[in-house]
Amino acid sequence: MSPANPCIVNQLRYLIYYHLDNHLHENALFLAERLYAYEPRAAEPSYLIALCHLRLGQLKPAYDYSRPSGSRGIHLGCAYVFAQACRGLGQFMEGIGALERSRGLWGGTNSWNKHSEIARRHLPDAAAVYCLLGKLWHSFDDIKKAVDCYVEALKLNPFMWDAFLGLCSTGASIRIQNIFKMTPEMSALLSATVPSETPLSSRTCSDESNNGPLQSQHNNNNPSHLSSPNSDLFNLPPTRMLQSDGSLTGLFQKFNESSAGGVNTSASSGATAPELGTPVGPGADVSGGPIAVTTTIEPPRAPMRRTRTLQGLGLDFSIDAPPKMRPTSSRSRNRARGGDTDDTSDSTSTVRNQASTAIAGERKRTISGVVNHVNDPTAATQRRSLRLFNQIRPTSSKPSSSTIGAGLREVREMKKVKATGTKGRTGPGSSTVGRVVSGNRKYNDEMDVDPKDLRPTGTTNASSSGAPKTFYPEIAKQEEALQWLLDLFKKLGSGYFALTHYQSHDALQIFNSIAVAQRDTPWVLAHIARAYYEQSSYAEAEKYFMKVRSMAPTRMEDMEVFSTVLWHQKKDVDLAFLAHELTEQDRLSPEAWCAIGNSFSVQREHDQALKCFKRATQLDPKFAYGFTLQGHEHTTNEEYDKALAAYRSAIAAENRHYNGWYGLGKVYEKLGKYEVAEKHFRTAAAINPTNAVLICCIGMIMEKLKDPRAALQQYEKACELQPRSSHSRYKKARVLMQIGDLDLAHGELKTLKDMAPDEANVHFLLGKLYKMKHQKANAIKYFTIALNLDPKAGGLIKEAIESLEEDEEDDYQM
């Protein structure tokens, strides 16, 4: 088989990345198959075709194509795609092994702040690989290693938000201020990358290196720079683009050779414009600056053409020496012999002498005495504007003997110019055409100098001198912007961390401290709603969820919580409408099926609700909340074995899902296994220590275990966590009555009566309290109020009233 043509390979790679960047994955896959067929043994085609399958969600083909090179760790791209496919397929250890074996390829790499509009990195750096490793270890239930990987990813890149979310989900203790902060490595990378952010179109090739304007540091015959892992396929530097085609390189090489006699050698080392020597011929930059080829790819300028003979003047600028011209007058002939500096005659004589001395290699002294080196017979006549600069500064950094001699005689020559300049310029025999050709105008004559010609020449000098003025302010601006982002991430991260640790009050304070523009976003508003939901403030949670729906009607995340909020408030119409909207938006989302199930559940159609919840877990086997809702429905139907299985599936999907532990405790409580129930309740309370309902459940178990003092401690803790919780206060008052502390119980019931004036149980308990205090009138009063509020409990209330009369008769008989 013949070796692969690197040009074909590179063209296919360009096309593949083009389509991937434009999200045309089917086209990219088609081209990747062509590349894989053309070069089947290389790792790069395998990576590209596996990447295309992964972008299309085809995990098994991505796994198969990336396995040969990825599982052995010989190609970073293949290993990364292979690990992602393994995570989706549940083969976690295979993905971990591939990334560990390729550690030598990604260890120590950092692409932070290296992606921009003109640069990209298509292979992952160490932070991205550590983040993926953390996800794999987390899925493998090795929390310690997952935490280590997440921490390493955040050390390298604090903006790796996915790693931060994974770290919070593990339940690890985190110091937010140590994550989102400016590190010395970030400052160093920022300082190193700020100069490269300058638009390439404003820089010349001489700014790239000190090796010459068009000299490249890459080997023209080696296309390895096109296939390097960190090379940008669409934004190559200008030298690399030019050298990808041999013909272009040859043109520029000829261009350099033809300009060698016109540009001073100091220009190749970054010399400034005033240090340039004799200007180049036609077609070159006559402004005095170096030949600048900007990074915008344009056709190269043609080499200098040899000028033709001017028939009207008899001047020949070809290679052959022109015939000598006779002086036009005796005055001009005498001045030409005597070295006089008449303007008109000197214009013609300068052209003649430059042409005649081109072969002999002699040097011609101009008006100012500066030696004019004529190295190229095809070079055009020196322009006056550049010669004016040459009169001020020498033409090269190494002064020659003739230049020094010309400098010593400068004063004497200038005196001659003052004496004869006016006559020569205004004489009747002067030739204006000769002055245009030669451009020999005097430096002293202010009226003869064009102000446009005295403006600064050369863009390289201006850009180089301006760099120190703009470089440091640019770094300061970048650091200021980076610090603003870090502060924003610190607030968002602190709020999310508090919420994942169920510190709802702290989370609400942090989220509300964020700027309004950032707070009024769907992500922040949804998490504020979740915080209110965890506090059992369902009305507030509904208000914020409604804001999310109005701002992002197609958002599906957290909508299962919104449906539960409506379920707790028994808003069956709103819940049915929400389920209908979510189903229309995405029928295959588990959140939509949870909303449908809650809608059936609030209407007491538990079998239909179970079908919907099972459909949700079929769509997403890791959807823990769907399994929990299944367990609730099985518990309502008194199918305790199925409920236990559902709750255990929820815990398997997410170990820190406290709802699953709570469900297990409720089932065991109904089964009469109070010790086992207490264990599960305490596990749930350890995950969510601020939930008053879980604390009350522990207190109820203590009551059933005949330990009222321990139950009282739990109820007091619940009341501290949620002072407005009527349920916790009711339980506390009842335990106080059991232990005989009637005064404290009376105070709790009075407060509870104000909180829930329409609650029949509160008035019934007050009646029993007054009965224990032997206050018959007050007892009958509150028993009657309870009977009016809840006629269904009339039998129990009437029995209590009758018992009150019986107790009175017993006391009378005694």
Side-chain angles (χ1 to χ4, degrees), residues 587-598 612-613 615-616 619:
R587 191 176 180 84
L588 299 179
S589 65
E591 294 84 1
W593 286 99
C594 277
I596 298 172
N598 279 327
C612 297
F613 295 143
R615 177 58 177 162
L619 293 171

Side-chain angles (χ1 to χ4, degrees), residues 280-469:
V280 296
D285 185 7
V286 296
S287 62
I291 301 173
V293 180
T294 59
T295 56
T296 55
I297 303 304
E298 298 178 355
R301 297 176 181 176
M304 294 181 301
R305 296 189 303 175
R306 298 174 181 175
T307 57
R308 299 178 180 179
T309 303
L310 300 179
Q311 301 296 334
L313 297 176
L315 303 178
D316 187 5
F317 291 92
S318 60
I319 296 179
D320 298 334
K324 293 184 178 182
M325 296 177 58
R326 294 183 178 181
T328 56
S329 63
S330 60
R331 181 178 178 181
S332 62
R333 181 171 58 252
N334 294 333
R335 290 185 177 181
R337 292 175 182 176
D340 201 353
T341 56
D342 188 341
D343 184 72
T344 305
S345 61
D346 184 65
S347 301
T348 307
S349 62
T350 301
V351 174
R352 184 180 64 248
N353 292 335
Q354 287 179 353
S356 61
T357 56
I359 301 176
E362 296 179 356
R363 292 171 292 183
K364 172 66 180 177
R365 187 169 64 236
T366 59
I367 294 176
S368 62
V370 179
V371 178
N372 187 7
H373 298 272
V374 182
N375 298 325
D376 190 1
T378 63
T381 310
Q382 184 183 22
R383 185 169 179 174
R384 57 180 175 79
S385 61
L386 187 58
R387 189 169 62 256
L388 292 177
F389 282 100
N390 290 336
Q391 291 174 357
I392 301 173
R393 301 185 64 175
T395 58
S396 64
S397 59
K398 295 180 181 181
S400 61
S401 59
S402 60
T403 305
I404 296 174
L408 294 177
R409 294 189 297 272
E410 184 176 2
V411 177
R412 183 172 66 252
E413 294 292 335
M414 294 303 296
K415 291 181 179 179
K416 294 181 180 180
V417 172
K418 291 181 180 180
T420 61
T422 306
K423 292 182 180 181
R425 187 172 65 253
T426 59
S430 62
S431 174
T432 58
V433 178
R435 180 170 58 187
V436 172
V437 173
S438 64
N440 288 336
R441 299 189 181 186
K442 290 178 289 298
Y443 176 74
N444 304 45
D445 195 351
E446 296 179 358
M447 299 299 294
D448 198 32
V449 176
D450 189 357
K452 296 181 180 180
D453 294 331
L454 293 178
R455 61 191 176 189
T457 57
T459 58
T460 305
N461 186 28
S463 61
S464 62
S465 63
K469 297 180 181 179

